[in-house]
Amino acid sequence: MAAANPSVFLLMVNGQVESAQFPEYDDLYCKYCFVYGQDWAPTAGLEEGISQITSKSQDVRQLLVWNFPIDVTFKSTNPYGWPQIVLSVYGLDMFGNDVVRGYGAVHVPFSPGRHKRTIPMFVPESTSKLQKFTSWFMGRRPEYTDPKVVAQGEGREGAGPRIFLEHVTDEGLVRAQKVTMSVPTGALYLPVRDMGRSSPLYRREG
Amino acid sequence: MEKEILFIPSRLTVPTYKKLPENVQPRFLEDEGLYIGARPEVARANQNIMENRLLTQEPGRRWFGDDGRILALPSPIKQFPSRPSVLTQDQSIKAELETVYKKAVKYVHVSKHMTGSVDPPGNFQLDIDISGLIFTHHPCFSREHVLAAKLAQLYDQYLARQQRNKAKFLTDKLQALRNAVQTGLNPEKPHPSLDTTQKTINEYKSEIWQTRKLRDMEQEKDRALLKTIIKVWKEMKSLREFQRFSNTPLKLVLRKEKVDQKADEGAHEAEIQAEISELLEEHTEEYKQKMEEYRTSYQQWKAWKKAQRAKKKKKKQASEEYPEDEIEAASPEEDPVKPTPPEPVDRAVIEQQVRKRAAQSRRRPGEPTLLPELSLAGSVTPNDQCPRAEVSRREDVKRRSVYLKVLFNNKEVSRTVSRQLGADFRVHFGQIFNLQIFNWPESLTLQVYETVGHSGTTLLAEVFLPIPETTIVTGRAPIEEVEFSSNQHVTLDHEGVGSGVPFSFEADGSNQLILMTSGKVSHRVAWAIGENGIPLIPPLSQQNIGFRSALKRADAISSIGTSGLTDMKKLAKWAAESKLDPNDPNNAPLMQLISVATSGESYVPDFFRLEQLQQEFNFVPDEELNRSKRFRLLRLRSQEVPEFRNYKQIPVYDREIMEKVFQDYEKRLQDRNVIETKDHIDTHRAVVAKYLQQVRESVINRFLIAKHHFLLADLVVEEEVPNISKLQQPSRSSRTFSEKRAASPSTHSPTHSADYPLGQVLVRPFVEVSFQRTICHTTTAEGPNPSWNEELELPFRAPNGDYSTASLQSVKDDIFINIFDEVLYDVLEDDRERGSGIHTRIERYWLGCVKIPFSTIYFQARIDGTFKIDIPPVLLGYSKERNMIMERGFDSARSLSEGSYITLFITIEPQLVPGESVREKFDSQEDEKLLQATEKFQAECALKFPNRQCLTTVIDISGKTVFITRYLKPLNPPQELLNVYPNNPQATAELVARYVSLIPFLPDTVSFAGVCDLWSTSDQFLDLLAGDEEEHAVLLCNYFLSLGKKAWLVMGNAIPEGPTAYVLTQEQSHYLIWNPCSGHFYAQFDTFCPLKSVGCLIGPDNIWFNIQEYDSPLRINFDVTKPKLWKSFFSRRLPYPGLCSVQ
């Protein structure tokens, strides 16, 4: 029975959140999570994770190194909704409040192999100067209701861009996350243009 | 030494011959038409150094091009950065955004029709040449003048007709047609196809007929005109003879042109013959046709006659048998009239007709052609030979003078000199006005003024001149005449006939005529030409700003204006003028476009295609897309069809998709229009259910759209703008609340039940709670006022294990709290055993129940209060114990509500988060000001009392925002209800309340899954026969209003409904609170009133928000006239605008 054992393809992601450059901040930790479409489901591994707190390296690079591993496997029937990894970085501010330092998202690479991705990070900005001050003072910076919104397009159309362009500010000069991930699924091959036809190259899940 | 090692290249220019092979002339490829890119800029000195250096090397020459310069690629540097640098400093961004101060420039012309400041100071020029003026009627006209004017007019008409000479043209055409028919009929000529010739001949014939008719008409007109001219001339002559002087030099000469009698006669006869023969032919044709018709109808008639005869015969026989029938059958149907055969065509008759007509409309043969000629050769009788009246008229004319004012855009710009009126009522001006203008002219007007002697001037008429088209420039404009007329009434005491007054030519005053002053201005309007030969016309783009409607003829393409890129020809012209390098690859697409466009072969589509690359992205043909089950599933999911909205993992292969996936969906589609009657009590309910389903669907669709519509607050959590009072309590309220909840994890716990008025001494009640097929009960307590103080826990399972907000909102389960009396019966039959054992039977008597919907608990988060128990009207074996109540002193409070009550506390553990209602801004037909006022009012109220319900606008069933007071309007309750207790208003009110409460209750939260609260009008409510508290309350309130009560809608919190609507009425001395859903009513100070808090009161013309310290109805004052207690929406600042009702 076909339905009992549906054909899927697998996407295995393993890699790590290597390091970050936040020149202005120190002692940060990061969270990662995945955003994927309706046809996707995680089959193994962790979908979310929180890293340890790391301090800046004492050299010129001033890297914040986490080397935090990611290992997750998805199954899917449709390339639509390809997983995105969403990273959010948090740290303590000078009053000891836990505040968000940056959000960022990137698609999981489409081709197998080793990839390095650098993600620019940003945070939403207060709507007014007064709020900016009070939020700084009280340690309650504006943050997204859900970090996953940075990987979603909804709400950015129409009136949306106003929200994002006006209030999202770049955090610092260099804000990079290096994520390396490899997609070592031997049988995975997805001709993107041909997605509609049932390709014999899909791997059937045992 | 050093000099040997070091080489210092010279800075001098290298002569060209050194750089090229011997005896080669430098070639300049650019001159030969090849494209050479712009070279990167290098300083001349550096270039020389480089050249010198290269030349010292051995194969130096290969570095030089044919033109003797160093080979170079075109400069790769673009004029502008194509990508903004990523690492721009904040400051530089700000620099881009920095505003630049520009000195304010005063606009010289504030007109909206101004030429833009970009244009050169617009000195456009319009030349208006006013050559003269002629009166076609003037008060000073004598009778002779009137006739002369008429004659002149007729003569003009005659000349115009003569020029066109339509009759001649038509005659020629007729001749040609006749010839064509002749040749067509000629059998000697070979016919390509008999069929077509026959057809064409028929067409010719019909055309001949038409042409002949036209020609006859024209000829008749010509003749009539000629006759009138002669008539008027004769009249004039007789008038001149009669008055014995002449005022006008007009003279008509009729020239006779001799014609050849014989030839003319011959032609005439031939014409007539031809016509006769044609007519004859036509008539014969017609006759044939008629004959045919006649024959068929005659046959019919004959057949009918025969039948009639046979019938009669029968009838005769029948009448002998049944004589009564005779009378009835005697009324025969109308006989078809016997058709009469058509008259055959008579040649003689036709000939007579034709000849008659010819005599009427045509010149008789042999008669000389008359050619009228109007000349001014006549002499005007000098003044001394005229009678007094005429002399005074002439003098009056002399005193009059005329001038014209020129108005541009309704402003006078210039005027002509004043000229005396001539005896012929012509004025010659011959003046040219040059109007220097800035604006596109809106109107050009001439005003004709007349001055009589030294008295004032009068405005005779206004003449509107057309604004010339842009192509009309000075020198090319023709002189045009514009007519004017005035409605002035003038009566004069001399020979002049006056204006607007009747006069007559006849001696007896009959045949009166009324003429108005009128005339013609001959003028010429054109655009001036500047010194360089460019017409001084304001740009067309300008005229479009203000005068789009006025100038419809304006060229569409040129009005596109600067965006002329759409116009290929303009583009090509521009390309030619700007001398684009056709070989530059940068210009290649442009050049190609231009070459295609100018060649005229291109197909320029007159449509604009969206998504023109769609074809490229289609990965399968449409047929396959429609056939495939997988694609269908994907598409339905993306359309958010309810069945597939959350469908996960759509299979890869079609074969893995089961047919039954679509079954539900297809069934629903089919059922949409079919009404099933078997499930419902009657068809009306079925229709209503269907309607509700449709409303629900449309609301859900709106909701889904709204769900994709995010506001900033939906995405970003941000502190609100702080104010002083809030700074002190920075913690988020939700947080503290949840902590509090965690501390008290009590679940459904009926704590204690208030007194039972069931007068059995040994009543031993217990409570049984059932929810979702789980039943729990308390222990049995003793007595009529039991107290259990017990905690019961019942598990809650969400439908399909889906704890999402949407699914929780649609839970329709109720919590049933039943109160039973436990009765022990001694069933021991044998008394002997009584000592050794107890044998009893326990029986449970149902005393009453309380029903609480789960949705209430869900939305309220907790329920805490005393509830009235629904008890059957009669409980056999139980009675109420009155004295006990009296003892407890409840009497005053309980006078209106007697019953049993239970106190309980219900909550959910863990806390379920209630769904937030959509704050989508629905469109509204309300005034924008009113909507703003409502928002302000609500914000103010929410600031003071965030927990109190404040309602100003609601959403009606079509999804529009409606101001709430529009729902309230006195509505008559059914007459039957009023007739029951005609003298007891209180009983009537109770009856009305009961009537309203009997209408089924259907909460919006169930039907619309917490999407929003829809308010239907009372009419819709009665039509749907279902609704929730608001609808009941609105209907009840409207009925009370029509009963003459003072009634308000109370928005507040009640138990167990939660936020709800009650009705408040003011009786003589006290207030009554009505529960519209149950029909019960409570006094204001009734402790058991389910209404626990009052947020606002809504009347038909205002809203009052409760700003008292307390909100319990027990502790507040319902006097809305006190502004310190009730904040009213409409006040002196914002008066009630008189909103009409939606009811």
Side-chain angles (χ1 to χ4, degrees):
Chain A
M1 184 78 194
N5 189 11
S7 306
V8 292
F9 63 87
L10 292 177
L11 174 70
M12 281 141 90
V13 183
N14 53 50
Q16 56 183 348
V17 184
E18 280 183 349
S19 61
Q21 288 177 327
F22 280 88
E24 292 172 41
Y25 308 118
D26 200 354
D27 296 334
L28 304 177
Y29 66 95
C30 92
K31 277 188 196 173
Y32 78 86
C33 57
F34 285 93
V35 173
Y36 42 84
Q38 281 181 310
D39 294 324
W40 291 75
T43 53
L46 290 171
E47 253 192 281
E48 287 180 326
I50 298 187
S51 76
Q52 75 281 11
I53 293 177
T54 184
S55 296
K56 265 183 192 162
S57 62
Q58 295 302 314
D59 54 7
V60 265
R61 294 174 302 158
Q62 298 209 317
L63 277 180
L64 293 148
V65 179
W66 285 299
N67 283 342
F68 185 62
I70 296 169
D71 190 358
V72 65
T73 304
F74 294 99
K75 69 171 180 183
S76 175
T77 57
N78 196 347
Y80 176 74
W82 194 271
Q84 278 166 285
I85 182 167
V86 176
L87 289 164
S88 40
V89 177
Y90 301 84
L92 298 181
D93 69 355
M94 56 189 289
F95 301 109
N97 292 310
D98 193 23
V99 292
V100 68
R101 295 302 188 194
Y103 294 102
V106 74
H107 272 106
V108 166
F110 300 111
S111 61
R114 234 180 126 79
H115 300 271
K116 236 175 215 244
R117 292 281 181 270
T118 305
I119 310 166
M121 305 296 275
F122 54 89
V123 288
E125 198 172 56
S126 298
T127 34
S128 68
K129 285 260 188 231
L130 179 63
Q131 275 164 301
K132 195 171 182 175
F133 171 72
T134 52
S135 66
W136 170 81
F137 186 70
M138 299 196 297
R140 231 179 266 290
R141 310 287 168 90
E143 54 187 75
Y144 288 118
T145 49
D146 183 355
K148 288 181 178 176
V149 298
V150 300
Q152 285 159 356
E154 274 191 341
R156 303 194 197 193
E157 71 281 294
R162 200 186 56 224
I163 296 167
F164 281 85
L165 292 180
E166 280 183 11
H167 304 300
V168 175
T169 174
D170 281 342
E171 248 332 288
L173 250 178
V174 186
R175 9 130 189 85
Q177 301 276 307
K178 291 203 175 85
V179 181
T180 311
M181 45 190 77
S182 47
V183 189
T185 50
L188 180 90
Y189 169 66
L190 290 168
V192 175
R193 274 298 292 266
D194 246 10
M195 227 51 258
R197 288 165 206 141
S198 358
S199 151
L201 293 161
Y202 287 116
R203 198 175 115 178
R204 170 162 299 185
E205 194 193 25
Chain B
M1 268 304 274
E2 214 174 83
K3 274 184 183 170
E4 279 172 31
I5 298 165
L6 296 179
F7 164 70
I8 298 168
S10 155
R11 281 169 176 261
L12 299 175
T13 315
V14 184
T16 317
Y17 65 87
K18 275 192 182 174
K19 295 184 270 186
L20 293 172
E22 274 97 85
N23 303 327
V24 174
Q25 286 295 314
R27 277 174 69 194
F28 294 100
L29 292 175
E30 199 162 3
D31 293 349
E32 290 171 28
L34 291 172
Y35 170 70
I36 304 290
R39 298 166 67 94
E41 271 184 44
V42 181
R44 189 70 218 165
N46 286 345
Q47 207 173 323
N48 290 340
I49 292 168
M50 192 64 194
E51 283 178 1
N52 280 316
R53 189 182 286 147
L54 287 172
L55 280 173
T56 54
Q57 288 175 0
E58 192 38 51
R61 274 178 190 151
R62 66 177 176 148
W63 291 100
F64 297 97
D66 290 339
D67 55 352
R69 303 173 73 184
I70 295 177
L71 291 172
L73 289 172
S75 171
I77 297 165
K78 278 196 179 175
Q79 295 299 313
F80 50 88
S82 59
R83 187 168 63 173
S85 91
V86 186
L87 306 175
T88 354
Q89 289 278 357
D90 282 5
Q91 286 156 346
S92 61
I93 294 170
K94 272 167 195 161
E96 283 163 18
L97 293 172
E98 209 165 45
T99 48
V100 180
Y101 173 73
K102 276 197 176 170
K103 202 171 187 302
V105 179
K106 197 182 169 192
Y107 275 93
V108 188
H109 303 274
V110 204
S111 166
K112 57 173 178 169
H113 316 309
M114 257 299 302
T115 328
S117 54
V118 191
D119 291 312
N123 283 325
F124 309 116
Q125 192 176 327
L126 198 62
D127 290 351
I128 302 173
D129 175 358
I130 297 168
S131 53
L133 184 129
I134 305 164
F135 281 101
T136 48
H137 183 79
H138 191 270
C140 292
F141 267 28
S142 66
R143 283 182 176 74
E144 194 187 329
H145 277 109
V146 175
L147 285 178
K150 201 166 162 192
L151 188 63
Q153 202 186 343
L154 284 170
Y155 186 67
D156 280 351
Q157 214 177 332
Y158 170 79
L159 284 183
R161 284 189 74 84
Q162 203 68 13
Q163 205 174 4
R164 273 191 295 162
N165 210 351
K166 217 148 177 207
K168 177 86 170 46
F169 165 75
L170 286 169
T171 315
D172 286 353
K173 188 179 171 189
L174 198 61
Q175 202 58 46
L177 283 168
R178 273 178 189 153
N179 284 341
V181 174
Q182 280 301 317
T183 47
L185 286 174
N186 203 339
E188 287 161 29
K189 293 223 170 130
H191 297 302
S193 152
L194 209 70
D195 226 20
T196 48
T197 10
Q198 194 55 44
K199 210 169 135 199
T200 42
I201 284 170
N202 280 342
E203 274 170 13
Y204 280 151
K205 276 182 178 166
S206 74
E207 202 158 331
I208 286 173
W209 181 75
Q210 268 177 0
T211 319
R212 203 178 56 223
K213 226 169 113 182
L214 276 174
R215 185 207 55 184
D216 285 354
M217 247 158 64
E218 286 295 320
Q219 278 179 340
E220 214 172 311
K221 268 189 201 159
D222 277 349
R223 236 181 125 69
L225 188 62
L226 197 62
K227 273 182 180 168
T228 339
I229 289 176
I230 293 167
K231 193 177 150 235
V232 172
W233 172 237
K234 274 180 181 158
E235 269 178 33
M236 201 159 144
K237 269 205 288 197
S238 66
L239 186 71
R240 276 178 183 169
E241 266 167 39
F242 171 74
Q243 63 189 22
R244 266 170 291 164
F245 60 85
S246 59
N247 277 335
T248 49
L250 230 55
K251 199 172 168 187
L252 189 77
V253 183
L254 286 172
R255 241 176 346 111
K256 285 185 190 173
E257 224 168 65
K258 284 262 167 145
V259 283
D260 184 2
Q261 174 102 19
K262 228 170 188 178
D264 199 32
E265 237 166 71
H268 188 74
E269 193 55 39
E271 176 67 27
I272 283 173
Q273 285 308 324
E275 204 175 319
I276 287 169
S277 67
E278 274 161 27
L279 273 179
L280 204 62
E281 208 170 299
E282 275 164 39
H283 280 281
T284 343
E285 200 89 342
E286 211 175 314
Y287 172 72
K288 266 187 200 158
Q289 221 168 0
K290 273 192 183 158
M291 205 59 194
E292 199 68 28
E293 270 171 39
Y294 162 72
R295 249 175 233 139
T296 49
S297 56
Y298 185 71
Q299 288 295 336
Q300 277 171 357
W301 180 77
K302 241 178 160 177
W304 176 82
K305 199 90 183 170
K306 227 178 188 172
Q308 201 71 358
R309 222 170 276 155
K311 236 189 196 169
K312 258 189 189 158
K313 231 181 215 170
K314 238 186 183 170
K315 246 182 235 162
K316 241 181 201 169
Q317 289 171 355
S319 64
E320 282 163 16
E321 289 158 35
Y322 313 103
E324 302 103 13
D325 278 8
E326 182 81 0
I327 307 146
E328 282 163 36
S331 56
E333 318 127 49
E334 225 171 280
D335 290 353
V337 188
K338 186 180 173 181
T340 42
E343 301 271 324
V345 199
D346 189 0
R347 192 189 160 88
V349 174
I350 289 173
E351 192 172 342
Q352 205 179 343
Q353 275 174 3
V354 170
R355 276 184 196 283
K356 198 176 156 197
R357 207 164 44 219
Q360 221 173 52
S361 65
R362 266 176 242 166
R363 183 170 51 88
R364 241 154 283 152
E367 198 183 77
T369 332
L370 282 178
L371 291 175
E373 257 175 44
L374 200 64
S375 65
L376 299 172
S379 58
V380 180
T381 320
N383 276 6
D384 48 1
Q385 290 172 22
C386 291
R388 266 195 70 78
E390 171 60 20
V391 173
S392 69
R393 187 193 71 81
R394 287 189 185 181
E395 271 162 10
D396 188 25
V397 172
K398 267 186 194 158
R399 284 197 295 131
R400 286 170 190 256
S401 52
V402 175
Y403 67 90
L404 294 179
K405 274 185 188 174
V406 182
L407 276 76
F408 177 82
N409 288 359
N410 295 325
K411 289 187 192 74
E412 184 187 333
V413 286
S414 51
R415 61 171 77 177
T416 63
V417 289
S418 186
R419 289 280 164 97
Q420 215 176 43
L421 205 59
D424 52 354
F425 295 95
R426 280 165 194 266
V427 183
H428 178 77
F429 295 109
Q431 277 186 300
I432 297 174
F433 300 100
N434 301 326
L435 302 187
Q436 302 262 329
I437 57 171
F438 289 105
N439 311 348
W440 182 260
E442 203 166 342
S443 66
L444 271 180
T445 318
L446 299 179
Q447 284 180 335
V448 185
Y449 283 90
E450 191 185 40
T451 324
V452 186
H454 298 289
S455 58
T457 54
T458 46
L459 172 67
L460 278 185
E462 281 201 331
V463 189
F464 292 94
L465 302 185
I467 291 148
E469 288 190 45
T470 50
T471 49
I472 295 175
V473 290
T474 309
R476 262 198 274 162
I479 286 203
E480 281 172 54
E481 289 191 329
V482 181
E483 296 191 351
F484 66 88
S485 77
S486 139
N487 49 4
Q488 209 181 23
H489 294 264
V490 182
T491 323
L492 297 169
D493 52 358
H494 46 75
E495 273 297 276
V497 292
S499 265
V501 285
F503 70 95
S504 169
F505 286 102
E506 314 287 325
D508 56 352
S510 65
N511 220 345
Q512 289 194 328
L513 268 173
I514 299 175
L515 290 176
M516 292 300 191
T517 310
S518 59
K520 286 186 264 187
V521 177
S522 51
H523 68 96
R524 170 155 52 182
V525 184
W527 296 103
I529 295 175
E531 285 166 14
N532 47 5
I534 292 170
L536 300 169
I537 303 169
L540 272 159
S541 55
Q542 212 191 112
Q543 82 189 44
N544 281 357
I545 302 163
F547 312 103
R548 199 177 289 277
S549 57
L551 289 150
K552 280 181 187 139
R553 283 176 298 172
D555 191 0
I557 292 166
S558 53
S559 65
I560 292 166
T562 46
S563 64
L565 284 176
T566 48
D567 184 1
M568 284 299 167
K569 276 177 190 156
K570 262 192 182 175
L571 196 64
K573 202 179 159 199
W574 168 78
E577 278 174 1
S578 58
K579 297 195 181 67
L580 279 184
D581 188 343
N583 297 325
D584 188 344
N586 291 336
N587 300 333
L590 193 63
M591 294 319 287
Q592 195 183 359
L593 188 71
I594 289 167
S595 74
V596 168
T598 45
S599 66
E601 287 165 9
S602 77
Y603 163 63
V604 181
D606 49 359
F607 53 84
F608 177 72
R609 193 197 294 278
L610 286 168
E611 297 171 17
Q612 72 273 38
L613 292 174
Q614 185 61 49
Q615 203 72 35
E616 296 286 314
F617 287 98
N618 285 347
F619 55 93
V620 283
D622 285 346
E623 304 89 66
E624 198 185 326
L625 196 69
N626 292 329
R627 208 171 49 233
S628 164
K629 281 190 276 186
R630 175 177 150 83
F631 292 140
R632 188 174 172 206
L633 213 52
L634 285 168
R635 264 189 297 168
L636 288 171
R637 185 176 69 178
S638 86
Q639 284 163 11
E640 303 210 306
V641 172
E643 281 85 351
F644 307 106
R645 201 179 295 148
N646 294 315
Y647 201 93
K648 296 217 161 103
Q649 298 246 327
I650 289 172
V652 178
Y653 300 110
D654 269 1
R655 58 183 148 84
E656 290 177 3
I657 298 169
M658 296 216 260
E659 247 345 297
K660 69 175 182 213
V661 170
F662 298 105
Q663 270 173 11
D664 283 351
Y665 172 64
E666 273 159 7
K667 190 158 169 281
R668 186 170 66 96
L669 285 190
Q670 280 174 359
D671 287 357
R672 185 170 279 174
N673 299 315
V674 182
I675 293 164
E676 272 182 58
T677 44
K678 59 186 179 202
D679 290 349
H680 298 275
I681 297 162
D682 53 40
T683 41
H684 178 255
R685 289 223 172 151
V687 171
V688 166
K690 212 87 218 172
Y691 176 69
L692 272 181
Q693 180 64 27
Q694 277 169 10
V695 169
R696 181 183 151 85
E697 259 170 45
S698 79
V699 166
I700 283 177
N701 281 339
R702 258 165 189 281
F703 176 60
L704 285 175
I705 293 165
K707 240 166 112 179
H708 292 290
H709 206 85
F710 289 105
L711 294 179
L712 175 64
D714 299 331
L715 295 179
V716 178
V717 184
E718 190 184 7
E719 282 293 290
E720 279 172 30
V721 183
N723 58 33
I724 314 301
S725 65
K726 273 205 172 166
L727 272 172
Q728 292 155 359
Q729 33 169 339
S731 68
R732 287 170 201 180
S733 59
S734 63
R735 227 176 240 183
T736 50
F737 184 65
S738 63
E739 282 158 18
K740 204 171 125 197
R741 283 262 51 79
S744 60
S746 57
T747 336
H748 309 177
S749 58
T751 44
H752 89 284
S753 175
D755 61 334
Y756 270 90
L758 308 166
Q760 212 180 34
V761 186
L762 279 173
V763 65
R764 301 174 71 224
F766 70 94
V767 178
E768 185 189 270
V769 181
S770 65
F771 177 62
Q772 284 187 342
R773 275 177 263 157
T774 316
I775 298 171
C776 284
H777 52 84
T778 62
T779 52
T780 313
E782 296 279 336
N785 297 302
S787 172
W788 290 286
N789 271 328
E790 257 179 73
E791 196 174 298
L792 300 178
E793 284 192 22
L794 292 120
F796 165 68
R797 276 179 299 272
N800 310 322
D802 183 3
Y803 283 88
S804 70
T805 327
S807 101
L808 285 177
Q809 276 164 342
S810 59
V811 173
K812 287 188 204 172
D813 294 315
D814 290 323
I815 295 165
F816 291 96
I817 298 160
N818 291 301
I819 294 101
F820 292 95
D821 181 17
E822 195 181 79
V823 180
L824 295 177
Y825 278 106
D826 195 355
V827 286
L828 202 67
E829 275 155 12
D830 194 351
D831 271 353
R832 285 167 300 175
E833 288 178 32
R834 199 166 291 280
S836 57
I838 301 167
H839 207 132
T840 51
R841 191 175 76 232
I842 299 172
E843 284 188 3
R844 304 158 77 187
Y845 293 137
W846 184 70
L847 296 179
C849 87
V850 177
K851 193 176 90 175
I852 297 168
F854 174 77
S855 55
T856 309
I857 303 165
Y858 176 59
F859 284 109
Q860 296 268 88
R862 65 193 202 124
I863 285 180
D864 187 2
T866 307
F867 294 84
K868 187 174 181 181
I869 300 168
D870 287 329
I871 48 173
V874 180
L875 272 178
L876 284 173
Y878 296 90
S879 68
K880 292 184 181 178
E881 198 165 345
R882 293 222 169 263
N883 49 357
M884 209 161 164
I885 302 161
M886 294 301 281
E887 272 171 44
R888 304 177 121 226
F890 270 128
D891 191 43
S892 61
R894 305 266 303 278
S895 59
L896 279 165
S897 57
E898 289 172 356
S900 310
Y901 295 88
I902 185 169
T903 306
L904 41 78
F905 175 82
I906 304 175
T907 190
I908 309 165
E909 170 71 27
Q911 184 83 23
L912 291 175
V913 184
E916 281 173 29
S917 56
V918 233
R919 14 113 288 273
E920 188 197 2
K921 212 177 159 191
F922 288 95
D923 48 344
S924 174
Q925 283 164 347
E926 300 287 354
D927 186 25
E928 195 55 46
K929 268 189 191 160
L930 186 67
L931 289 178
Q932 280 170 6
T934 60
E935 273 170 32
K936 204 176 142 214
F937 184 74
Q938 272 181 323
E940 281 171 12
C941 295
L943 203 67
K944 276 188 194 156
F945 300 100
N947 295 328
R948 289 188 194 170
Q949 214 182 341
C950 177
L951 214 58
T952 50
T953 54
V954 291
I955 295 148
D956 73 358
I957 206 147
S958 56
K960 291 229 168 70
T961 308
V962 176
F963 194 68
I964 196 164
T965 61
R966 288 184 193 258
Y967 278 90
L968 296 181
K969 181 200 178 186
L971 290 178
N972 286 330
Q975 194 59 42
E976 295 91 319
L977 300 179
L978 303 179
N979 292 342
V980 180
Y981 304 108
N983 299 321
N984 187 349
Q986 179 61 29
T988 311
E990 282 171 39
L991 198 65
V992 167
R994 168 141 178 83
Y995 170 76
V996 172
S997 72
L998 288 176
I999 299 170
F1001 182 82
L1002 182 79
D1004 279 347
T1005 45
V1006 173
S1007 46
F1008 300 126
V1011 169
C1012 56
D1013 208 0
L1014 295 188
W1015 286 46
S1016 46
T1017 62
S1018 298
D1019 194 27
Q1020 288 160 346
F1021 172 49
L1022 289 173
D1023 208 38
L1024 297 176
L1025 284 180
D1028 63 0
E1029 304 103 359
E1030 301 97 47
E1031 277 93 39
H1032 284 91
V1034 165
L1035 184 65
L1036 188 62
C1037 189
N1038 288 340
Y1039 282 167
F1040 282 161
L1041 286 170
S1042 94
L1043 290 177
K1045 285 177 187 290
K1046 272 194 148 184
W1048 297 272
L1049 222 56
V1050 184
M1051 306 306 299
N1053 276 304
I1055 285 170
E1057 300 98 318
T1060 185
Y1062 273 56
V1063 177
L1064 178 80
T1065 57
Q1066 185 184 11
E1067 304 299 322
Q1068 287 86 8
S1069 54
H1070 57 285
Y1071 290 93
L1072 289 184
I1073 295 165
W1074 299 77
N1075 182 348
C1077 301
S1078 65
H1080 295 302
F1081 63 96
Y1082 308 90
Q1084 190 194 345
F1085 301 108
D1086 188 340
T1087 26
F1088 296 102
C1089 174
L1091 189 69
K1092 290 300 169 202
S1093 73
V1094 175
C1096 61
L1097 293 185
I1098 295 150
D1101 51 3
N1102 209 342
I1103 299 167
W1104 295 272
F1105 182 70
N1106 178 10
I1107 48 172
Q1108 302 172 48
E1109 193 181 343
Y1110 301 103
D1111 55 0
S1112 164
L1114 291 169
R1115 306 175 78 170
I1116 61 173
N1117 188 341
F1118 278 115
D1119 189 358
V1120 292
T1121 54
K1122 291 186 176 154
K1124 281 200 172 171
L1125 305 178
W1126 295 95
K1127 178 186 169 69
S1128 62
F1129 182 78
F1130 293 115
S1131 57
R1132 240 170 293 153
R1133 256 188 310 137
L1134 181 76
Y1136 179 63
L1139 301 168
C1140 68
S1141 170
V1142 291
Q1143 296 290 0

